[in-house]
Amino acid sequence: MLAERRHQLILRALRSGGPASVTDLSEQLGVSPATIRRDLVKLEEDGLLTRVHGGAVVDEGDQPFAEVAEVRVSEKDAIAERAAAMVADGQSVLLDIGTTAFRLARQLHGRRLTVITSNLVVYEELADDEGIELVLLGGMLRREYRSLVGFLTEDNLRQLHADWLFLGTSGVRPGGQVMDTTVVEVPVKRAMIKAGDKVVLLADAAKFPGTGMAKVCGPEDLDVVITNAPADPVTRSSLEEAGVEVVEAGKVQE
């Protein structure tokens, strides 16, 4: 059996039956435990599962926004500060869903900007700032993740243009592909990419490789990646070969 086929069957087994041991997967697929262990290492490197003692598990669901917002706050703030410094007064900024975009919104207070977003927490943060022209995209509400999605959001984006898009992600593959855990978010993110002149990916160290099975875009669609730690050499090489500038938050750029 080809490795790619084994990987598909392993992921299917974990999604349908929950956590499974190496022994169980070995018996189901008719291959050795050593082969399964190698497969699990590869799938974890790709961000498609998490290895646990004796086996593996797939976590397909998004955590509620409030939970994610409390994780790695200082790292997200460092990334947000560097991102905010890229924007000049008078420009338009498109902010994706997610907690790092929210931290970026907090850095924009007092600026003369237009901010476009489907992120309800960004909207709430900036609603009382009279210096900011705020555009809230329409769509179907995802209550747990405080965002708007669907064909209405995509239609709104087709009518808009922004100088900057600041994009979030759940994972970045070694080849530079940007991933997401939730399929319903992907068309919105792709529409955002088309609406932005400059596309900046905000990705803390945990996003390399992170998680996600749905591809949002390739490295060729990005202009800049801002991260709080060096990306692994393979990923960094893939990004730089595609002409993407990799900015490490906290480092002074020459």
Side-chain angles (χ1 to χ4, degrees):
M1 186 187 302
L2 294 175
E4 184 176 349
R5 177 60 176 163
R6 285 199 314 274
H7 294 171
Q8 292 173 351
L9 293 174
I10 288 170
L11 293 171
R12 185 181 301 171
L14 294 172
R15 291 185 189 118
S16 61
S21 69
V22 169
T23 302
D24 290 341
L25 293 169
S26 173
E27 291 174 354
Q28 287 182 46
L29 274 66
V31 296
S32 70
T35 297
I36 292 295
R37 290 190 188 94
R38 287 194 295 271
D39 289 340
L40 296 182
V41 168
K42 177 64 169 65
L43 288 166
E44 184 176 53
E45 289 174 350
D46 289 344
L48 297 174
L49 56 73
T50 300
R51 286 188 296 157
V52 297
H53 182 67
V57 62
V58 169
D59 179 12
E60 293 190 272
D62 279 340
Q63 293 175 273
F65 187 98
E67 292 180 11
V68 183
E70 299 301 319
V71 177
R72 300 187 299 278
V73 172
S74 61
E75 291 91 335
K76 293 172 185 175
D77 280 342
I79 291 169
E81 185 177 354
R82 177 54 65 89
M86 293 181 168
V87 181
D89 281 356
Q91 291 189 316
S92 53
V93 177
L94 179 54
L95 294 183
D96 192 11
I97 67 157
T99 57
T100 308
F102 164 59
R103 304 308 299 188
L104 173 53
R106 300 189 73 176
Q107 299 278 343
L108 299 179
H109 280 296
R111 304 285 300 277
R112 185 174 58 82
L113 300 168
T114 298
V115 174
I116 306 162
T117 191
S118 59
N119 187 329
L120 292 179
V121 185
V122 168
Y123 166 78
E124 291 164 1
E125 178 68 27
L126 298 176
D128 294 330
D129 192 321
E130 296 183 0
I132 292 178
E133 293 287 341
L134 189 56
V135 179
L136 181 63
L137 301 168
M140 181 177 293
L141 176 63
R142 289 184 67 214
R143 287 181 174 83
E144 285 295 302
Y145 212 64
R146 309 296 305 280
S147 64
L148 297 164
V149 298
F151 75 92
L152 292 173
T153 320
E154 296 164 47
D155 282 349
N156 284 178
L157 284 163
R158 280 191 279 271
Q159 301 175 60
L160 295 170
H161 166 270
D163 296 306
W164 295 92
L165 163 62
F166 292 99
L167 187 69
T169 182
S170 57
V172 183
R173 295 286 177 269
Q177 297 87 0
V178 179
M179 310 299 290
D180 200 273
T181 56
T182 309
V183 172
V184 71
E185 296 286 359
V186 172
V188 175
K189 288 177 181 286
R190 289 176 177 170
M192 285 182 170
I193 290 169
K194 290 180 180 178
D197 260 0
K198 293 285 188 180
V199 179
V200 182
L201 183 70
L202 309 177
D204 61 56
K207 305 300 175 65
F208 297 93
T211 59
M213 58 178 292
K215 180 181 175 182
V216 175
C217 68
E220 66 278 1
D221 295 307
L222 305 175
D223 294 291
V224 182
V225 171
I226 306 179
T227 183
N228 65 301
D232 68 89
V234 174
T235 309
R236 190 182 190 100
S237 176
S238 298
L239 292 169
E240 290 177 345
E241 285 177 10
V244 181
E245 179 186 2
V246 180
V247 176
E248 292 179 26
K251 280 194 172 184
V252 177
Q253 299 298 298
E254 296 180 359

